[in-house]
Amino acid sequence: MPEFDRKILVLFAHPGLENSRCNQALKEAVCEMSGVTFHDLYAVYPDFAINVKAEQTLLTDHDAVIFQFPFYWYSTPAILKEWQDLVLEHGWAYGQEGNQLQGKLFGVVTTSGGGPEAYQRGGYNHYTMNELLHPLERTAILCGMRWLLPFAVQHALTIEDHELVEAAKHYRRYLEAIRDDTLDLNALPESGLINTFA
């Protein structure tokens, strides 16, 4: 069994994966990676009956947590919000004695139908993707985790096949960099994203 600098837990949430060419490609790029546990929440909990203790054990067993989801209504799909509400308990994840997640990395990998031009000041959505993800950033910080700049694949409905292949490769390299501790955690690209694909 190879040793890695970090073990990564990908919490995947897509309620209509069969209709998502983009998320399917991203999933296939990383779901069998060494050092990565790919956890499909809708597959494991089709009834939303989340096993809190099992999820907390998964979290403590990993060094980095990635939420992968389509950007629905400026937020996450419902099961990922349910997961946060139930699993990130006071006294466990945050609060006076809630220190189980201290020092872990937390990142977001998301897809959007709109492109970068829609996610900017004056654009269709009025705010940048990074700004719209601030609730997740604050959640990570409240739990003592280090927030990573988001990884976004945009124009998800119209992305060309060759662009999607490149996006999936970039996603895999992104997780490899986290796993192997080669990611520059202090990088601040102008876009506010770790990378974007138009």
Side-chain angles (χ1 to χ4, degrees), residues 89-107:
E89 292 180 312
H90 181 267
W92 187 86
Y94 70 100
Q96 195 166 13
E97 297 179 4
N99 57 9
Q100 296 298 309
L101 302 176
Q102 291 282 329
K104 296 180 185 293
L105 302 182
F106 179 84

Side-chain angles (χ1 to χ4, degrees), residues 67-187:
F67 281 7
Q68 182 189 334
F69 58 92
F71 198 54
Y72 282 176
W73 293 107
Y74 307 108
S75 187
T76 66
I79 199 167
L80 205 42
K81 181 60 168 66
E82 180 85 350
W83 183 95
Q84 293 169 70
D85 292 345
L86 297 177
V87 176
L88 302 180
E89 292 180 312
H90 181 267
W92 187 86
Y94 70 100
Q96 195 166 13
E97 297 179 4
N99 57 9
Q100 296 298 309
L101 302 176
Q102 291 282 329
K104 296 180 185 293
L105 302 182
F106 179 84
V108 163
V109 174
T110 192
T111 59
S112 66
E117 70 283 356
Y119 290 93
Q120 60 180 317
R121 295 292 171 89
Y124 182 79
N125 293 306
H126 298 278
Y127 298 98
T128 67
M129 178 68 80
N130 211 6
E131 289 170 332
L132 291 167
L133 290 169
H134 279 171
L136 289 176
E137 179 181 2
R138 291 305 312 162
T139 298
I141 292 169
L142 182 65
C143 295
M145 305 174 82
R146 177 151 186 179
W147 170 255
L148 304 175
L149 290 177
F151 180 108
V153 180
Q154 299 183 292
H155 288 308
L157 301 177
T158 57
I159 190 170
E160 298 287 342
D161 287 344
H162 71 278
E163 294 173 316
L164 184 52
V165 168
E166 284 304 307
K169 288 179 181 175
H170 279 261
Y171 180 26
R172 185 179 178 91
R173 287 199 292 270
Y174 172 58
L175 292 195
E176 287 172 344
I178 293 172
R179 181 194 67 189
D180 300 338
D181 195 19
T182 58
L183 181 70
D184 182 359
L185 297 176
N186 298 311

